[in-house]
Amino acid sequence: MAEPLQFAYRTLKGIGIFDAAPVYEPLHGFQKPEGNSRCCIYSPCGKYFAWASNDGVTVVDASVGHVITTLPTPNVYEIGFSPRGSYIITWERPSKDEVGDAVKNLKVWRTVEEVADETEKQVVGRFVQKSQTGWNLQYTFDERYCARVVTNEVQFYESGDLGTVWNKLRAEGVADFAISPGNNHCVALFIPERKGQPAAVKIFNVPQFATAVSQKTFFKGDKVQLKWNLLGTTLIVLAQTEVDKTGKSYYGETTLYVLSANGGFDSRITLDKEGPIHDVSWSPNSKEFGVVYGYMPAKTTIFNQRAVATHTFPLGPRNTILFSPTGRFVLVAGFGNLAGQMDIYDLEKDYKKICTIEGGNPSVCEWSPDSKYILTATTSPRLRVDNGVRLWHVGGGVMYNEDMLELYHVTWRPRPSENFSSGDVLHPIPTPHSSALAYLGTVKTPSKPAGAYRPPGARGTSTPLHFKREDEGGAAHIVSNGTSLVGSNGFGKSRRQVPGAETAESLPPGASPSSGPSPGAVDGDENLSKAALKNKKKREAKKAKDAEAKAAGLAAAPDGPSAGLENRSPERKDRRDHQRSRSKGTQDIRTPSQQRRNTNPGRQNGAPPHGKTNNLTINPAPTNIPALVQETPEVSVISPLGSSPNAKKLRALQKKIRAIEDLEMRHAGGERLEETQLQKIRTRDAVQAELNALGGES
């Protein structure tokens, strides 16, 4: 019988190892430790399982549960293993000794080592590591070298000799690095923006550090995620800024780049839906990767290793993508503040959708090593209620359920996928555990979907497109400033939205819809609420009333001298107002005293103006034309420069007169004037005489 699947968990009361399908029972031979524990982890090879308690670190054989070794180091908060499990690394909180020097809190031990009785296990190396982020050493696939980042350089060590630096990769400002998991010894560095220089990601071969074999520079990169494929041939760089300067997101801007390890290809990945990049994940075949991106509902696309899109899944509220260990299936899910739905697709059968799983509120989701099961768990401290572990079959059925009190961590035991049979995992469907049947009995299946709340006036009608999600046929996401980000469903030109109305289908020029309302019917009335329909009728009634008033006004005869101007058409009214606004500067160039003395005697008793008044030539309407067809007076603006060659000089003299009058008023008020101002007052007679000679009036 093949060795069963296994997962380990850590709760408030202790740690457990559980054999999953097909036995569903705790691991025989493993004695559960009681008391407080801080962390637990499997080795990447799956041979060992370790946890840290207040007394020290314990390592057991994951197959049988027997203790292999213990490490006499209390207060450990993090544990890590080398790729093949030969070394175990522990991290303690930073502290200082009696002298005030920093204690070397990062320690490396051999996992299996022959030690004499009553002799403590010796460490292989010690380092000072203040930050808990990126605390662990990174090893090459064969455990020949390991590396850690320090100020302005990455230091490489031979795994068996950590007391001596084997080589250094100097890079000023380096903030992060990632060693390739493949057979090639490559390392990728990230250098953030500094002093106006762009951020950079560089790839070097170990130990040829003189020249980078591949690099990419870019702005908008405060921090990155470096994701190698399993073969170590291609690197994905997910760059992110702390602040989005456009104001569209609270969480900064994200961009995606891809680089080949040999320098043959590098590119920015252009995404056709605006918004953040939620997740990116490599397929185990190292030939394709998936990206979830865009404002909700998000878009999920599969790219090949040359960053060319090969398939796009339907839009939906999703933010996670996980490939199964065999590479046959892909899980696209929405966790966190989303509903917890998980879509399973079969990549070998033309991306066929297998099922959708309602996962609840999981904070952990992992594929089993044989790609047959999916583990979901709700853990603390994110959620302190409904904690527990649940196993799902890839076909969608629940196989196992266990509720736990304050579950902190759960994970599958790593196993090579080639250790499992290559049969069809979809058929036959295994028999679920009794706990799964009990869980299904407690789940309430609603007989009728509740749906969103609808006010009484909108009940019984179809939902307008304005209120639908984009994946349900609604409009594309609109940012707070009112600008449409992308087209309909992420592609093409965005359609015009009218609240309460269905969107018209796009038709060729000159084409008519195949079906529609009869002539005289109002399109969209059946989708309007009662209040909207009432308002629409009011607007139509007001339009009809205005049309009747306009018709009555055209039919009536002008009564009085100003009727010609009042009955003017809207176009001619607009032209008259425009002409008056243009000539405003030339109408008011006279002083107030001149305007009062220059009153036109022809405007006595309400008679209409005629003749030439201040550069406006008004032609009175003839009286022998019937009232219905009487033409309104023509008003033409004559440019001051065109009416007289001395017009410019005339305006200058009038301006001088106004300035002199102002000085005279200030002098009469007792203000002391300069000699030049007094001389200007004495020139009033000469200026007035010149103005009179040009036709002006005092």
Side-chain angles (χ1 to χ4, degrees), residues 471-498:
D471 56 329
E472 297 175 347
H477 176 78
I478 305 296
V479 293
S480 58
N481 59 9
T483 305
S484 179
L485 297 176
V486 292
S488 170
N489 292 336
F491 296 95
K493 184 180 179 181
S494 59
R495 56 180 180 267
R496 180 173 177 264
Q497 286 292 329
V498 179

Short mmCIF file of all heavy atoms in Angstrom, two decimals, residues 471-498:
data_model
loop_
_atom_site.label_atom_id
_atom_site.label_comp_id
_atom_site.label_asym_id
_atom_site.label_seq_id
_atom_site.Cartn_x
_atom_site.Cartn_y
_atom_site.Cartn_z
N ASP A 471 -18.61 41.35 -15.06
CA ASP A 471 -18.71 39.97 -15.53
C ASP A 471 -20.16 39.52 -15.69
O ASP A 471 -20.41 38.43 -16.19
CB ASP A 471 -17.98 39.03 -14.56
CG ASP A 471 -18.52 39.16 -13.14
OD1 ASP A 471 -18.96 40.26 -12.79
OD2 ASP A 471 -18.50 38.16 -12.40
N GLU A 472 -21.12 40.35 -15.28
CA GLU A 472 -22.53 40.04 -15.47
C GLU A 472 -23.13 40.88 -16.59
O GLU A 472 -24.35 40.95 -16.73
CB GLU A 472 -23.30 40.30 -14.16
CG GLU A 472 -22.86 39.40 -13.02
CD GLU A 472 -23.54 39.77 -11.71
OE1 GLU A 472 -24.15 40.87 -11.67
OE2 GLU A 472 -23.46 38.99 -10.76
N GLY A 473 -22.30 41.53 -17.37
CA GLY A 473 -22.77 42.34 -18.48
C GLY A 473 -22.87 43.81 -18.19
O GLY A 473 -23.38 44.57 -19.01
N GLY A 474 -22.40 44.24 -17.01
CA GLY A 474 -22.47 45.65 -16.65
C GLY A 474 -21.34 46.45 -17.24
O GLY A 474 -20.57 45.98 -18.08
N ALA A 475 -21.22 47.69 -16.74
CA ALA A 475 -20.22 48.61 -17.26
C ALA A 475 -18.86 48.32 -16.66
O ALA A 475 -18.74 47.67 -15.62
CB ALA A 475 -20.62 50.06 -16.96
N ALA A 476 -17.81 48.79 -17.35
CA ALA A 476 -16.45 48.65 -16.85
C ALA A 476 -16.26 49.52 -15.62
O ALA A 476 -17.04 50.43 -15.35
CB ALA A 476 -15.43 49.02 -17.93
N HIS A 477 -15.20 49.23 -14.86
CA HIS A 477 -14.93 49.97 -13.63
C HIS A 477 -14.68 51.44 -13.93
O HIS A 477 -14.00 51.78 -14.89
CB HIS A 477 -13.71 49.37 -12.94
CG HIS A 477 -13.28 50.12 -11.71
ND1 HIS A 477 -13.92 49.99 -10.50
CD2 HIS A 477 -12.29 51.02 -11.53
CE1 HIS A 477 -13.34 50.76 -9.62
NE2 HIS A 477 -12.34 51.40 -10.21
N ILE A 478 -15.25 52.31 -13.11
CA ILE A 478 -15.07 53.76 -13.23
C ILE A 478 -14.35 54.25 -11.98
O ILE A 478 -14.79 53.97 -10.87
CB ILE A 478 -16.41 54.50 -13.39
CG1 ILE A 478 -17.19 53.92 -14.57
CG2 ILE A 478 -16.19 55.99 -13.57
CD1 ILE A 478 -16.53 54.11 -15.90
N VAL A 479 -13.25 54.98 -12.17
CA VAL A 479 -12.51 55.49 -11.02
C VAL A 479 -13.25 56.68 -10.45
O VAL A 479 -14.20 57.19 -11.02
CB VAL A 479 -11.07 55.88 -11.42
CG1 VAL A 479 -10.27 54.66 -11.79
CG2 VAL A 479 -11.09 56.87 -12.55
N SER A 480 -12.75 57.17 -9.29
CA SER A 480 -13.46 58.22 -8.57
C SER A 480 -13.52 59.53 -9.33
O SER A 480 -14.40 60.34 -9.09
CB SER A 480 -12.79 58.44 -7.21
OG SER A 480 -11.43 58.80 -7.39
N ASN A 481 -12.58 59.76 -10.25
CA ASN A 481 -12.62 61.01 -10.99
C ASN A 481 -13.53 60.96 -12.21
O ASN A 481 -13.57 61.90 -12.99
CB ASN A 481 -11.21 61.42 -11.42
CG ASN A 481 -10.54 60.37 -12.29
OD1 ASN A 481 -11.19 59.41 -12.71
ND2 ASN A 481 -9.25 60.55 -12.57
N GLY A 482 -14.24 59.83 -12.39
CA GLY A 482 -15.21 59.74 -13.47
C GLY A 482 -14.65 59.28 -14.77
O GLY A 482 -15.36 59.21 -15.77
N THR A 483 -13.38 58.92 -14.86
CA THR A 483 -12.76 58.51 -16.10
C THR A 483 -12.90 57.02 -16.27
O THR A 483 -12.58 56.25 -15.38
CB THR A 483 -11.28 58.89 -16.12
OG1 THR A 483 -11.17 60.28 -15.86
CG2 THR A 483 -10.66 58.58 -17.47
N SER A 484 -13.37 56.58 -17.43
CA SER A 484 -13.47 55.15 -17.69
C SER A 484 -12.09 54.59 -17.92
O SER A 484 -11.30 55.11 -18.71
CB SER A 484 -14.34 54.90 -18.93
OG SER A 484 -14.43 53.53 -19.19
N LEU A 485 -11.78 53.50 -17.24
CA LEU A 485 -10.42 52.97 -17.31
C LEU A 485 -10.20 52.17 -18.58
O LEU A 485 -9.21 52.33 -19.27
CB LEU A 485 -10.16 52.08 -16.09
CG LEU A 485 -10.20 52.82 -14.75
CD1 LEU A 485 -10.02 51.83 -13.63
CD2 LEU A 485 -9.13 53.87 -14.70
N VAL A 486 -11.10 51.28 -18.87
CA VAL A 486 -10.93 50.40 -20.02
C VAL A 486 -12.25 50.27 -20.73
O VAL A 486 -13.27 50.79 -20.31
CB VAL A 486 -10.43 49.01 -19.57
CG1 VAL A 486 -9.03 49.07 -19.04
CG2 VAL A 486 -11.35 48.42 -18.53
N GLY A 487 -12.23 49.51 -21.80
CA GLY A 487 -13.43 49.28 -22.54
C GLY A 487 -14.31 48.23 -21.90
O GLY A 487 -14.04 47.71 -20.83
N SER A 488 -15.35 47.87 -22.59
CA SER A 488 -16.29 46.88 -22.09
C SER A 488 -15.60 45.55 -21.87
O SER A 488 -14.97 45.00 -22.76
CB SER A 488 -17.43 46.74 -23.10
OG SER A 488 -18.23 45.64 -22.78
N ASN A 489 -15.71 45.03 -20.64
CA ASN A 489 -15.12 43.74 -20.28
C ASN A 489 -13.63 43.68 -20.57
O ASN A 489 -13.08 42.63 -20.89
CB ASN A 489 -15.84 42.61 -21.01
CG ASN A 489 -17.26 42.44 -20.50
OD1 ASN A 489 -17.55 42.83 -19.38
ND2 ASN A 489 -18.14 41.89 -21.31
N GLY A 490 -12.95 44.81 -20.52
CA GLY A 490 -11.52 44.82 -20.67
C GLY A 490 -11.03 44.99 -22.08
O GLY A 490 -9.84 45.08 -22.34
N PHE A 491 -11.92 45.02 -23.07
CA PHE A 491 -11.50 45.13 -24.45
C PHE A 491 -12.33 46.20 -25.15
O PHE A 491 -13.47 46.47 -24.79
CB PHE A 491 -11.68 43.80 -25.19
CG PHE A 491 -10.83 42.70 -24.67
CD1 PHE A 491 -11.33 41.82 -23.73
CD2 PHE A 491 -9.53 42.56 -25.08
CE1 PHE A 491 -10.56 40.80 -23.24
CE2 PHE A 491 -8.75 41.54 -24.60
CZ PHE A 491 -9.26 40.66 -23.67
N GLY A 492 -11.73 46.78 -26.22
CA GLY A 492 -12.47 47.65 -27.10
C GLY A 492 -12.90 48.96 -26.48
O GLY A 492 -12.51 49.32 -25.38
N LYS A 493 -13.76 49.67 -27.18
CA LYS A 493 -14.22 50.98 -26.75
C LYS A 493 -15.33 50.83 -25.71
O LYS A 493 -16.21 49.99 -25.83
CB LYS A 493 -14.74 51.75 -27.96
CG LYS A 493 -15.17 53.18 -27.64
CD LYS A 493 -15.66 53.86 -28.90
CE LYS A 493 -16.12 55.29 -28.61
NZ LYS A 493 -16.61 55.95 -29.81
N SER A 494 -15.27 51.64 -24.68
CA SER A 494 -16.26 51.54 -23.62
C SER A 494 -17.61 52.04 -24.12
O SER A 494 -17.70 53.02 -24.85
CB SER A 494 -15.83 52.35 -22.40
OG SER A 494 -15.66 53.70 -22.77
N ARG A 495 -18.68 51.34 -23.72
CA ARG A 495 -20.01 51.73 -24.17
C ARG A 495 -20.58 52.83 -23.28
O ARG A 495 -20.25 52.91 -22.11
CB ARG A 495 -20.93 50.51 -24.18
CG ARG A 495 -21.01 49.80 -22.83
CD ARG A 495 -21.94 48.61 -22.95
NE ARG A 495 -22.04 47.90 -21.69
CZ ARG A 495 -21.29 46.88 -21.36
NH1 ARG A 495 -20.36 46.45 -22.20
NH2 ARG A 495 -21.44 46.25 -20.21
N ARG A 496 -21.45 53.62 -23.86
CA ARG A 496 -22.07 54.71 -23.11
C ARG A 496 -23.19 54.15 -22.25
O ARG A 496 -24.02 53.39 -22.71
CB ARG A 496 -22.62 55.75 -24.08
CG ARG A 496 -23.30 56.94 -23.40
CD ARG A 496 -23.66 57.99 -24.43
NE ARG A 496 -24.37 59.09 -23.82
CZ ARG A 496 -25.69 59.19 -23.80
NH1 ARG A 496 -26.41 58.24 -24.35
NH2 ARG A 496 -26.29 60.23 -23.25
N GLN A 497 -23.18 54.53 -20.99
CA GLN A 497 -24.14 53.99 -20.03
C GLN A 497 -25.16 55.06 -19.66
O GLN A 497 -24.80 56.17 -19.34
CB GLN A 497 -23.43 53.51 -18.77
CG GLN A 497 -22.67 52.20 -18.96
CD GLN A 497 -23.61 51.03 -19.20
OE1 GLN A 497 -24.73 51.02 -18.68
NE2 GLN A 497 -23.18 50.06 -19.96
N VAL A 498 -26.43 54.68 -19.71
CA VAL A 498 -27.51 55.53 -19.24
C VAL A 498 -28.18 54.82 -18.09
O VAL A 498 -28.70 53.72 -18.26
CB VAL A 498 -28.53 55.81 -20.36
CG1 VAL A 498 -29.66 56.68 -19.82
CG2 VAL A 498 -27.85 56.48 -21.53
#
